[in-house]
Amino acid sequence: MQSSSILSNETSVSPKNSFCELSGWLSWNVKFCRFMSLVAVIGMQWGDEGKGKVVDLLSESASHIARAQGGNNAGHTVVVQEKEYQFHLIPSGILYPHAKCYIGGGTVIDPKSFLEELDAIRAHGIAFEKRLFLSRYAHLVFPYHRLLDGLGDKSKGELAIGTTKKGIGPCYADKANRLGLRLADLLSPTFRQRLKETLSRKNHELEKLYDHPPLDFEEIASEYEGYAQKLAPFVAPVEEMLYEAIQQKERVLFEGAQGSLLDLTFGTYPFVTSSCTIAGGIPAGLGVGPCIDRILGVVKAYTTRVGNGPFPSELSDEEYKLFPDHNASREIGVTTGRKRRIGWFDAFLVSHTIRLSGVNCLAIMKLDILDGFDKIKICTGYRLDGQTLTSFPATGDELERIEPIYETIDGWKKPTTGIRNYRELPHAARAYLRRIEELSGVAISLISVGPARDQTLWMDRFFEEVSS
Ligand code: GDP
Ligand code: IMO
Ligand code: MG
């Protein structure tokens, strides 16, 4: 369902019922109350768009928050007052005591990392007992996955993907190859036997391909038996619980991880992650059926990418110098500490990912990072071998060779971090947002001007009313 375009209608909004005046009402109402109850939050670029902040904002009004795919390769930062929280696998919604959080069958769980994340949450004083649930179908990351991830990527030399080295790719590969072990298997009496069979294959791979000494079976088996005890209280029939919540028309928020261009099928293959990151991956990863009412696509007001692979709108060396420092702009990867690569907003790319997920509203994040620029570029299309492309290229070779078509617009050169109403944004900032909306063909529902919760401009209800 398409929400009405607010930005393109701004001139017709009378001051009496303008969105600035209604913003208090909207910021309450925009959430789930009385609106469609199944909402997905999806990254539209190469990840790190600010999904964590958006999920945190919407979780206030959601009863259930579920992760469908990926693992601890994700890194979602949420800033609440002076505190900063970092999540990798656990849904950011855990910060709200009323919210039930689920980690679905399509995810991969590294028990060591999961338990460390729980410790960090506990240290922040957040109680999660009886409201954090793990699907029995989720596959487990083992030490050999992490090891093979690092060794495998290194062995690719110049073609290395630059993975997070969390073992995500090898774990999903084992799943597809019917060699994986799931949470259900960890809790089964056959666990040792299954692990023994798998480990003998993995040790063969380690020794023959990488000349690496074999891993010790007993050590891994007893380490994971220890995890089994700690994980058992969280294991639950997640699929049935979500089915029930959906039947009861309760508000469910689906938290996407990674970004659409990291999707295993439709991303910039092979420089992608190993799960389905587009909206279609959500029902498949949670086993809930294609039920989503609203798909909110999250984009940065520019573009970033961590790791290797094509990046058509990446800044030139000169332009990099104009961009705020990586620390100031919060463009350092949460999971690996790597500096993110930066580029201009690429509307051609975002239009492509909007189609892949059937996105019906957009959240524009980090507008404030562009506050200091004289001129801002937007990529509106691609040219290849003298031809203007009409569809997004499917190969890295083409993407490396394309010539981005840019439009340059005036910057606003004023701070936006203190602004809370759309109409108070500088004229040029509004023109920039309007242009993004025009080029992408999807209404902007939320604009973010800083990492904190209140640094948010709510533009639209974006959850249509449910006829009750
Ligand atoms: P995610 O993986 O999509 O959840 O995004 P990350 O959390 O990895 O990266 C986004 C970073 O930008 C985090 O450090 C956020 O705190 C920060 N952030 C989110 N929204 C804004 C914003 O509007 N302005 C600024 N300056 N920072 C933001
Ligand atoms: P969030 O949820 C940004 C990237 C890695 C690498 C590629 C493959 O925070 O947006 P993997 O370890 O998944 O096999 O690495 O994918 N990558 C991400 N980049 N944000 C993420 O998650 C990412 N998760 C994986 O940098 O290029
Ligand atoms: Mg991130």
Side-chain angles (χ1 to χ4, degrees), residues 48 51 74-76 334 340:
D48 302 326
K51 300 175 293 293
H76 303 167
V334 181
R340 294 173 184 152

Side-chain angles (χ1 to χ4, degrees), residues 46-48 51 73-76 162-164 258 262 272-273 306-307 338:
W46 277 287
D48 302 326
K51 300 175 293 293
N73 48 347
H76 303 167
T163 72
T164 59
Q258 286 82 46
L262 291 173
V272 294
T273 189
V306 212
R338 290 178 290 180

Side-chain angles (χ1 to χ4, degrees), residues 182-294:
R182 303 161 306 162
L183 201 41
D185 303 315
L186 176 67
L187 303 176
S188 147
T190 61
F191 172 67
R192 276 189 163 247
Q193 185 54 34
R194 294 281 315 280
L195 178 65
K196 196 166 229 160
E197 284 159 16
T198 303
L199 187 63
S200 72
R201 286 169 181 271
K202 295 292 140 185
N203 275 338
H204 187 74
E205 206 174 319
L206 281 170
E207 288 176 278
K208 300 287 176 220
L209 270 183
Y210 302 109
D211 202 18
H212 193 283
L215 299 183
D216 182 64
F217 166 73
E218 198 47 51
E219 208 174 292
I220 300 179
S222 53
E223 180 187 344
Y224 276 67
E225 279 163 350
Y227 295 146
Q229 285 188 2
K230 292 184 175 155
L231 296 184
F234 298 99
V235 178
V238 164
E239 304 70 35
E240 291 156 36
M241 294 164 87
L242 287 173
Y243 180 79
E244 201 48 40
I246 294 166
Q247 288 295 305
Q248 298 304 320
K249 299 206 175 339
E250 291 174 20
R251 295 169 205 144
V252 185
L253 182 61
F254 301 113
E255 173 173 338
Q258 286 82 46
S260 304
L261 288 167
L262 291 173
D263 181 80
L264 180 58
T265 306
F266 297 105
T268 46
Y269 194 86
F271 298 96
V272 294
T273 189
S274 300
S275 65
C276 178
T277 62
I278 58 176
I282 285 181
L286 288 166
V288 293
C291 57
I292 311 168
D293 295 319
R294 205 91 172 118

Side-chain angles (χ1 to χ4, degrees), residues 413-428:
K413 304 217 63 163
K414 284 192 192 121
T416 55
T417 48
I419 292 176
R420 298 293 174 269
N421 294 309
Y422 170 70
R423 291 192 146 258
E424 287 167 16
L425 283 174
H427 181 77

Side-chain angles (χ1 to χ4, degrees), residues 102-399:
Y102 306 83
I103 297 176
T107 64
V108 291
I109 301 176
D110 183 331
K112 184 169 181 283
S113 156
F114 172 77
L115 292 167
E116 283 167 6
E117 208 174 329
L118 279 188
D119 286 344
I121 291 173
R122 198 182 283 112
H124 280 299
I126 295 157
F128 44 76
E129 283 74 19
K130 297 204 171 62
R131 60 185 195 90
L132 177 60
F133 307 104
L134 304 179
S135 167
R136 296 159 296 176
Y137 295 96
H139 277 248
L140 296 178
V141 176
F142 283 86
Y144 49 80
H145 290 134
R146 292 191 297 263
L147 201 50
L148 287 166
D149 195 2
L151 292 168
D153 209 33
K154 195 169 165 215
S155 73
K156 289 180 179 162
E158 281 194 354
L159 293 175
I161 292 161
T163 72
T164 59
K165 311 215 175 356
K166 301 294 179 190
I168 308 300
C171 183
Y172 276 116
D174 277 359
K175 173 180 175 176
N177 209 13
R178 281 69 53 92
L179 282 175
L181 288 152
R182 303 161 306 162
L183 201 41
D185 303 315
L186 176 67
L187 303 176
S188 147
T190 61
F191 172 67
R192 276 189 163 247
Q193 185 54 34
R194 294 281 315 280
L195 178 65
K196 196 166 229 160
E197 284 159 16
T198 303
L199 187 63
S200 72
R201 286 169 181 271
K202 295 292 140 185
N203 275 338
H204 187 74
E205 206 174 319
L206 281 170
E207 288 176 278
K208 300 287 176 220
L209 270 183
Y210 302 109
D211 202 18
H212 193 283
L215 299 183
D216 182 64
F217 166 73
E218 198 47 51
E219 208 174 292
I220 300 179
S222 53
E223 180 187 344
Y224 276 67
E225 279 163 350
Y227 295 146
Q229 285 188 2
K230 292 184 175 155
L231 296 184
F234 298 99
V235 178
V238 164
E239 304 70 35
E240 291 156 36
M241 294 164 87
L242 287 173
Y243 180 79
E244 201 48 40
I246 294 166
Q247 288 295 305
Q248 298 304 320
K249 299 206 175 339
E250 291 174 20
R251 295 169 205 144
V252 185
L253 182 61
F254 301 113
E255 173 173 338
Q258 286 82 46
S260 304
L261 288 167
L262 291 173
D263 181 80
L264 180 58
T265 306
F266 297 105
T268 46
Y269 194 86
F271 298 96
V272 294
T273 189
S274 300
S275 65
C276 178
T277 62
I278 58 176
I282 285 181
L286 288 166
V288 293
C291 57
I292 311 168
D293 295 319
R294 205 91 172 118
I295 302 170
L296 173 62
V298 185
V299 294
K300 271 179 186 156
Y302 47 98
T303 314
T304 60
R305 160 159 222 175
V306 212
N308 305 328
F311 188 171
S313 69
E314 187 164 14
L315 303 182
S316 66
D317 290 349
E318 281 310 301
E319 289 169 332
Y320 259 111
K321 288 182 199 147
L322 299 174
F323 207 86
D325 157 70
H326 279 80
N327 276 306
S329 60
R330 294 178 157 263
E331 291 307 359
I332 305 226
V334 181
T335 304
T336 57
R338 290 178 290 180
K339 283 185 179 173
R340 294 173 184 152
R341 296 159 65 195
I342 295 164
W344 299 110
F345 186 83
D346 186 340
F348 191 66
L349 175 156
V350 169
S351 300
H352 168 61
T353 58
I354 283 173
R355 287 189 292 267
L356 291 174
S357 281
V359 162
N360 28 41
C361 45
L362 286 179
I364 310 283
M365 313 302 287
K366 307 192 81 160
L367 185 70
D368 54 298
I369 300 301
L370 301 180
D371 283 352
F373 282 85
D374 281 328
K375 298 279 177 197
I376 297 171
K377 293 205 287 192
I378 305 184
C379 173
T380 57
Y382 292 172
R383 212 174 280 122
L384 181 68
D385 302 330
Q387 304 283 323
T388 302
L389 299 187
T390 50
S391 52
F392 197 80
T395 67
D397 167 59
E398 289 167 293
L399 279 168

